[in-house]
Amino acid sequence: MLSFSVSGTYADLYEITMGQTYFLEGRHAETACFDYFFRKIPNNGGYVLFAGLHDLLEALEGLQFTDEDIAYLQELRLHPDYLDFLKSFRFKGTLHAPPEGEVIFPHSPIVRVEGTLLETQLIESLLLNILNFASLVATKASRIRQVAGNRTLSDFGLRRAHGPGAVLAARAAVVGGFNSTSNTYAALKYGIPAAGTMAHSFIESYDAELEAFRAFARSRPDDCIFLVDTYHTLQSGVPNAITVAKELEAQGHKAVGIRLDSGDLAYLAKAARNMLNEAGFPYVKIITSNQLDEFVIRSLLEQQAPIDVFGVGTKLVTGAPDAALDGVYKLAMAAGKARLKLSESKEKTTLPGIKQVLRTLDEEGKFYGADAVILASEGNHADLIRHPVEEERQLYLRDCRQEPLLQKVMENGQRTAAPPALAETAAYAQKRLRQLPEEYKRLENPHLYKVGISPQLWELREQLKAHFHK
Amino acid sequence: MLSFSVSGTYADLYEITMGQTYFLEGRHAETACFDYFFRKIPNNGGYVLFAGLHDLLEALEGLQFTDEDIAYLQELRLHPDYLDFLKSFRFKGTLHAPPEGEVIFPHSPIVRVEGTLLETQLIESLLLNILNFASLVATKASRIRQVAGNRTLSDFGLRRAHGPGAVLAARAAVVGGFNSTSNTYAALKYGIPAAGTMAHSFIESYDAELEAFRAFARSRPDDCIFLVDTYHTLQSGVPNAITVAKELEAQGHKAVGIRLDSGDLAYLAKAARNMLNEAGFPYVKIITSNQLDEFVIRSLLEQQAPIDVFGVGTKLVTGAPDAALDGVYKLAMAAGKARLKLSESKEKTTLPGIKQVLRTLDEEGKFYGADAVILASEGNHADLIRHPVEEERQLYLRDCRQEPLLQKVMENGQRTAAPPALAETAAYAQKRLRQLPEEYKRLENPHLYKVGISPQLWELREQLKAHFHK
């Protein structure tokens, strides 16, 4: 049976071998702090929607090395004392993060992980694997929601998703604004409304389309969505759907909709809508699928295609074309000292120390477009931020309200609160997106949201640089 | 704990609800045949490498509805008699397919699934979910192998993969020609060599780079790959690596390599190679990573960058930019009759009936560039193929050798043979790729490999079309 459970080996090997050095050198219990952040917004967008925290925290609570893991690491010639230690390993660290559904920006810490050097290092790839992908898909979903208005959006991506990544994608889609999924496993696991219609094969398996529609209506009289493009949409599919919708009405039931999966969706939706209305079925919805994304949906709606439900697959669950969020996990503190990666490119120099992020808001509660990364010891306000790299550029934020984004979500390896319902998370995302001004949300060439650093943080980084250059 | 097991609900809901109709109408035990095929080669390539069969067959052998699945489907108001039936459901179908590692082309059946109407319909999305993704990644891996010659290729993609899709990706990469993976879970699960180096965080956690290298060398003296770009590659990283390599030699050990993860990889690799050689370490390898793909690697090697190992992440495991193979699963036969989807676009009309695919070979055993899709009843040779859509175009294949591609791999729900070792599958892929002429393998604008259909198959399709148009 194909199955995956996150256990200790769900890691890049180097995390386990670096851990061995820490252990054998007696450093594994030293304290450390890592930051999760990303550098570039995928798909030319103006923001990223944070998702995946729930699955990450659940994985961390259950994380352990199974007997199979230990036996395998023995084969890799890891030290027996270290393996003994790993046998009873549990993650006991502390995490600060915004709620899922938060709007986030490049170069700003999103998750702060504190704990022992060993445990914080071991979870690097696990954290990145979940958060990068979930945030990628939630962001894509939110762009699609933005153009779809209040029409229904359903995830149809299981068949094109990256194996069981489909399951995380279905949940992330809901965080970003989707209503349902065709992925029954994900629907069960996360309590997402399950949605489905019928396949061409169903219709072809009958000698006639009308017969197929009638058979389906007999067994699901209140859940009929007729796929109308198997033979000829307007000459065959829609007329047959109307026939069966009439038969259902006569029996006290109502057909739910028809689905268009090929051809010119704008033209066919208009023609089908007219036919349905003229036949007395204004309530029969039009569902479309077939290589949809935010751009195709926007175009369909600009043409005033009367579509009620969009089933989105490939482009949603793969987050194409970029298909990845470039999130990284970088050391900020170890053994009581702030730490720095210098790098040959200025942009890749990391931000040292234990940090907080302040979201700046204007009088109306809208995001001001300039977040502040500060040292956690500075409190919860920043009057002045500096560009993270360019020395001369700075910005005063004097009369603004600021909110700390990083809140404690895990302590001593346990969640600090029960996870919010998925619907609550989705509502939070929409609330935060409403606070984000339009210019950061537009699909083409969005405005650049500024993230600056406090003078104290700048100073700390300069000290560490100077230390290295000596 | 985050975990996924493929059970009956790992399906699109419509497969389960269509199954209910078949069951309630007494049609579920009728025979049916579905074909898996794809329409477009991803990422402008000239071929696809077939992968994922092993995981698919394993999943089908174990497929069942758990108690949790049944309870959930009850909530969705499925019929109690149908749920009783699903409780004891096991897949008992027959599959024909080429071995993993076969070179495949658009519009040609790749997997033929025969069994009851219900069971063959239920596995649609499970099959597509595994085969589409594994074949996407194996194809990408083979393109990278093609440019990398016999240099070592390692999958570094866990952190950017689509959640647990990472695990399938690691295996598919090996099918396509990769040597190892950093993904320890996948290494354990599939017996792939595990590979790893060290992170910047490891080095930063020490007060000095040299100290970090020495500590690592103490605990892994025969597995040292030093990451040299944390502070300054040529002024600090490489000199420190040389120092520790000398210390290791004095103790009877040999450093394995250095890793470059930023900056101009061609320039840095050449400079580092010179420094290592001059210091007496010609055996210390150069490993690179950082946003590599087939195009970047080709460019590095054109510049004669002395790189021994490429660690490839994001672009490999996401199959970007397309990030999906568009494989579909279409009905070809039901209740003893050949079946057809007409569609408004000619290219989307399906091929009816139980079919075989013949790979045509020239005198030297190279692929001739023209496969034949025939009815299985026609035997194992096709003298003439017709273009699948354009009436006038046909091609004689008289004096060619032909091989049937679809072999029985599962019967009555059980594999017909033990799965080949992964290394054997990888070797088969390379053998078949050597049989594919260069013009189909080039990265830019590859030649179009023809797939034609037999006159008998053409005729069957015409009959079915005529039947519908009546």
Side-chain angles (χ1 to χ4, degrees):
Chain A
M1 188 56 122
L2 187 68
S3 70
F4 300 92
S5 349
V6 165
S7 66
T9 54
Y10 199 88
D12 280 317
L13 180 64
Y14 79 171
E15 288 143 27
I16 299 171
T17 55
M18 290 188 287
Q20 172 170 284
T21 301
Y22 294 143
F23 179 83
L24 295 177
E25 303 270 321
R27 297 191 60 207
H28 54 290
E30 287 178 7
T31 56
C33 175
F34 279 86
D35 293 320
Y36 169 66
F37 64 94
F38 65 97
R39 295 194 179 106
K40 188 179 164 292
I41 299 174
N43 302 325
N44 301 312
Y47 65 90
V48 165
L49 206 58
F50 177 53
L53 185 64
H54 165 72
D55 280 304
L56 172 66
L57 297 179
E58 195 179 61
L60 292 177
E61 283 185 344
L63 190 63
Q64 50 188 320
F65 287 83
T66 63
D67 294 346
E68 201 186 7
D69 287 338
I70 298 291
Y72 179 67
L73 296 178
Q74 220 157 6
E75 283 176 37
L76 298 185
R77 298 175 297 117
L78 289 169
H79 197 285
D81 293 351
Y82 178 51
L83 293 181
D84 270 348
F85 175 83
L86 291 185
K87 273 180 202 165
S88 56
F89 170 82
R90 302 303 299 250
F91 181 77
K92 297 287 183 191
T94 296
L95 270 70
H96 286 74
E100 282 193 82
E102 186 56 88
V103 175
I104 56 176
F105 301 97
H107 300 291
S108 172
I110 297 149
V111 182
R112 188 172 94 204
V113 179
E114 292 164 276
T116 68
L117 187 53
L118 179 57
E119 70 189 352
T120 54
Q121 182 68 74
L122 271 180
I123 68 164
E124 173 178 10
S125 295
L126 168 61
L127 178 148
L128 292 172
N129 179 257
I130 295 174
L131 298 184
N132 279 337
F133 178 54
S135 301
L136 173 76
V137 175
T139 307
K140 188 78 176 177
S142 76
R143 288 161 63 90
I144 297 171
R145 166 53 66 205
Q146 189 182 315
V147 297
N150 57 6
R151 292 166 191 84
T152 300
L153 293 172
S154 191
D155 156 38
F156 280 9
L158 175 58
R159 60 194 55 207
R160 301 287 165 73
H162 292 187
V167 183
L168 290 183
R171 183 180 180 281
V174 175
V175 173
F178 270 53
N179 304 93
S180 58
T181 181
S182 65
N183 182 335
T184 317
Y185 186 91
L188 183 169
K189 185 177 172 74
Y190 295 117
I192 304 169
T197 64
M198 62 176 60
H200 297 111
S201 58
F202 179 82
I203 292 157
E204 292 163 59
S205 84
Y206 287 84
D207 290 337
E209 190 179 53
L210 183 61
E211 204 185 318
F213 288 178
R214 282 181 174 145
F216 197 83
R218 278 194 291 275
S219 62
R220 306 273 291 173
D222 298 305
D223 291 293
C224 284
I225 297 173
F226 301 113
L227 178 60
V228 293
D229 70 336
T230 305
Y231 302 111
H232 195 292
T233 303
L234 300 180
Q235 286 171 30
S236 166
V238 177
N240 284 331
I242 288 171
T243 299
V244 182
K246 280 184 188 157
E247 293 168 3
L248 280 167
E249 262 196 3
Q251 297 153 33
H253 299 287
K254 282 184 164 185
V256 173
I258 61 165
R259 177 161 73 103
L260 303 169
D261 186 47
S262 61
D264 190 291
L265 297 179
Y267 166 74
L268 291 172
K270 287 176 192 176
R273 182 75 273 157
N274 285 338
M275 290 166 74
L276 289 165
N277 290 353
E278 279 169 27
F281 297 101
Y283 63 81
V284 171
K285 295 197 163 105
I286 296 184
I287 291 100
T288 57
S289 49
N290 195 20
Q291 299 298 323
L292 301 178
D293 65 10
E294 61 272 46
F295 301 102
V296 176
I297 293 174
R298 180 175 64 180
S299 163
L300 287 168
L301 295 175
E302 277 170 1
Q303 297 166 72
Q304 304 186 291
I307 298 170
D308 305 288
V309 182
F310 295 99
V312 189
T314 313
K315 301 286 176 64
L316 169 69
V317 299
T318 63
D322 285 354
L325 174 68
D326 72 354
V328 293
Y329 184 77
K330 294 291 176 189
L331 188 72
M333 196 273 287
K337 293 183 199 168
R339 305 283 170 165
L340 183 73
K341 181 190 162 213
L342 268 181
S343 179
E344 268 128 293
S345 86
K346 267 190 178 180
E347 287 73 21
K348 280 194 161 188
T349 298
T350 59
L351 296 174
I354 297 182
K355 298 175 291 295
Q356 177 57 276
V357 179
L358 303 177
R359 168 75 25 99
T360 310
L361 304 155
D362 68 15
E363 311 87 59
E364 292 164 6
K366 289 251 182 189
F367 300 164
Y368 184 71
D371 287 354
V373 184
I374 64 172
L375 290 168
S377 55
E378 292 184 52
N380 281 334
H381 199 78
D383 283 341
L384 172 69
I385 55 175
R386 304 183 64 165
H387 187 282
V389 180
E390 296 175 31
E391 281 212 63
E392 330 64 48
R393 293 174 67 182
Q394 54 182 40
L395 181 68
Y396 284 94
L397 298 171
R398 267 187 199 120
D399 299 310
C400 303
R401 189 155 67 82
Q402 291 179 318
E403 296 172 347
L405 285 191
L406 308 187
Q407 302 293 335
K408 194 183 285 178
V409 293
M410 173 167 269
E411 185 160 35
N412 195 28
Q414 298 296 314
R415 272 176 278 204
T416 53
L422 185 52
E424 208 179 299
T425 296
Y428 183 75
Q430 291 308 316
K431 171 173 172 271
R432 296 302 268 181
L433 283 165
R434 280 192 301 272
Q435 289 178 269
L436 181 66
E438 296 307 319
E439 57 266 35
Y440 302 100
K441 287 187 282 198
R442 66 176 176 245
L443 299 185
E444 282 90 7
N445 299 318
H447 191 33
L448 180 76
Y449 198 102
K450 294 184 185 72
V451 174
I453 66 176
S454 68
Q456 287 94 321
L457 180 52
W458 180 285
E459 191 46 43
L460 175 65
R461 193 177 57 180
E462 290 305 306
Q463 284 168 16
L464 290 171
K465 276 191 199 172
H467 173 82
F468 175 78
H469 287 124
K470 270 193 311 194
Chain B
M1 187 58 122
L2 187 66
S3 71
F4 299 93
S5 353
V6 165
S7 66
T9 54
Y10 199 87
D12 280 316
L13 180 64
Y14 79 171
E15 289 143 26
I16 299 172
T17 54
M18 290 187 288
Q20 172 169 284
T21 301
Y22 294 145
F23 179 83
L24 294 178
E25 302 270 320
R27 296 192 61 206
H28 53 289
E30 287 178 8
T31 57
C33 175
F34 279 86
D35 294 319
Y36 168 66
F37 64 94
F38 65 95
R39 296 194 178 107
K40 188 177 164 293
I41 300 174
N43 301 324
N44 301 313
Y47 65 90
V48 165
L49 206 58
F50 177 52
L53 185 63
H54 165 72
D55 280 304
L56 173 65
L57 296 179
E58 194 179 65
L60 292 177
E61 282 184 346
L63 190 64
Q64 49 188 321
F65 288 84
T66 63
D67 294 346
E68 201 186 7
D69 287 339
I70 298 292
Y72 179 67
L73 297 178
Q74 220 156 8
E75 283 176 38
L76 297 185
R77 298 176 296 118
L78 289 170
H79 197 285
D81 294 349
Y82 178 50
L83 293 181
D84 271 347
F85 175 83
L86 290 185
K87 274 180 202 165
S88 56
F89 170 83
R90 303 302 299 249
F91 180 77
K92 298 288 184 190
T94 296
L95 269 71
H96 286 74
E100 281 191 84
E102 186 56 87
V103 174
I104 56 176
F105 301 97
H107 299 290
S108 173
I110 297 150
V111 182
R112 189 174 93 205
V113 179
E114 292 164 276
T116 67
L117 187 53
L118 179 56
E119 69 189 352
T120 54
Q121 182 68 75
L122 271 181
I123 67 164
E124 174 178 11
S125 295
L126 168 60
L127 178 147
L128 293 171
N129 178 257
I130 295 174
L131 298 184
N132 279 337
F133 178 55
S135 300
L136 172 77
V137 174
T139 307
K140 189 77 175 178
S142 76
R143 288 161 63 90
I144 297 171
R145 166 54 66 205
Q146 189 182 316
V147 297
N150 57 7
R151 292 166 190 83
T152 300
L153 293 172
S154 191
D155 156 38
F156 280 8
L158 175 58
R159 62 195 54 207
R160 301 285 165 74
H162 292 187
V167 183
L168 290 183
R171 183 179 180 280
V174 175
V175 173
F178 270 54
N179 303 94
S180 58
T181 182
S182 65
N183 180 336
T184 318
Y185 186 92
L188 184 170
K189 184 177 172 75
Y190 295 117
I192 305 169
T197 65
M198 63 176 60
H200 297 111
S201 58
F202 179 82
I203 293 158
E204 294 162 59
S205 85
Y206 286 83
D207 289 337
E209 190 179 51
L210 183 61
E211 204 186 318
F213 287 178
R214 281 181 174 144
F216 198 83
R218 278 194 292 275
S219 62
R220 306 274 290 175
D222 299 305
D223 292 293
C224 284
I225 297 173
F226 301 113
L227 177 60
V228 293
D229 69 337
T230 305
Y231 301 111
H232 194 292
T233 303
L234 301 179
Q235 286 171 31
S236 165
V238 177
N240 284 331
I242 287 171
T243 301
V244 182
K246 281 182 188 158
E247 293 167 4
L248 279 167
E249 262 197 4
Q251 297 154 32
H253 299 287
K254 283 184 164 186
V256 173
I258 61 164
R259 177 160 75 104
L260 303 168
D261 186 48
S262 61
D264 190 293
L265 297 180
Y267 166 75
L268 291 173
K270 287 176 192 175
R273 183 75 272 159
N274 286 337
M275 291 166 74
L276 289 165
N277 289 353
E278 279 168 26
F281 297 101
Y283 63 80
V284 171
K285 295 197 164 104
I286 295 184
I287 291 99
T288 56
S289 49
N290 194 20
Q291 299 298 324
L292 301 178
D293 65 10
E294 61 271 46
F295 301 101
V296 176
I297 293 174
R298 181 175 64 179
S299 163
L300 287 168
L301 295 175
E302 278 169 1
Q303 297 165 74
Q304 304 188 292
I307 297 170
D308 304 289
V309 182
F310 295 98
V312 188
T314 314
K315 301 287 176 64
L316 169 69
V317 300
T318 62
D322 284 354
L325 173 68
D326 73 352
V328 293
Y329 185 77
K330 293 291 176 189
L331 189 72
M333 197 272 286
K337 294 183 198 168
R339 304 285 170 164
L340 183 72
K341 180 190 163 213
L342 267 182
S343 180
E344 267 129 292
S345 86
K346 267 189 176 180
E347 287 73 21
K348 280 196 162 187
T349 298
T350 59
L351 296 174
I354 297 182
K355 297 174 293 295
Q356 177 57 277
V357 180
L358 303 175
R359 167 77 23 101
T360 309
L361 304 155
D362 68 15
E363 310 87 57
E364 291 163 5
K366 289 252 181 189
F367 299 163
Y368 184 72
D371 287 354
V373 184
I374 65 172
L375 291 168
S377 57
E378 291 184 55
N380 282 333
H381 199 80
D383 283 340
L384 171 68
I385 54 174
R386 302 184 66 164
H387 187 283
V389 181
E390 296 174 33
E391 281 213 62
E392 330 64 46
R393 294 175 67 184
Q394 54 181 40
L395 181 67
Y396 284 93
L397 299 171
R398 271 192 195 117
D399 298 310
C400 304
R401 190 155 68 80
Q402 291 179 319
E403 294 173 346
L405 285 191
L406 308 187
Q407 302 293 335
K408 194 183 287 178
V409 293
M410 173 168 268
E411 185 160 31
N412 195 29
Q414 298 297 313
R415 274 177 277 204
T416 53
L422 185 52
E424 208 179 300
T425 296
Y428 184 74
Q430 291 308 315
K431 171 173 172 273
R432 296 302 267 181
L433 284 165
R434 281 193 300 274
Q435 289 178 270
L436 181 66
E438 296 308 319
E439 57 266 34
Y440 302 100
K441 287 187 281 196
R442 67 176 176 244
L443 300 185
E444 282 90 4
N445 299 318
H447 191 33
L448 180 76
Y449 198 103
K450 294 184 185 71
V451 173
I453 66 176
S454 68
Q456 287 93 323
L457 179 51
W458 180 284
E459 191 46 43
L460 175 63
R461 193 178 57 181
E462 289 306 305
Q463 283 167 17
L464 292 171
K465 278 191 201 172
H467 173 80
F468 174 77
H469 287 123
K470 269 196 306 189

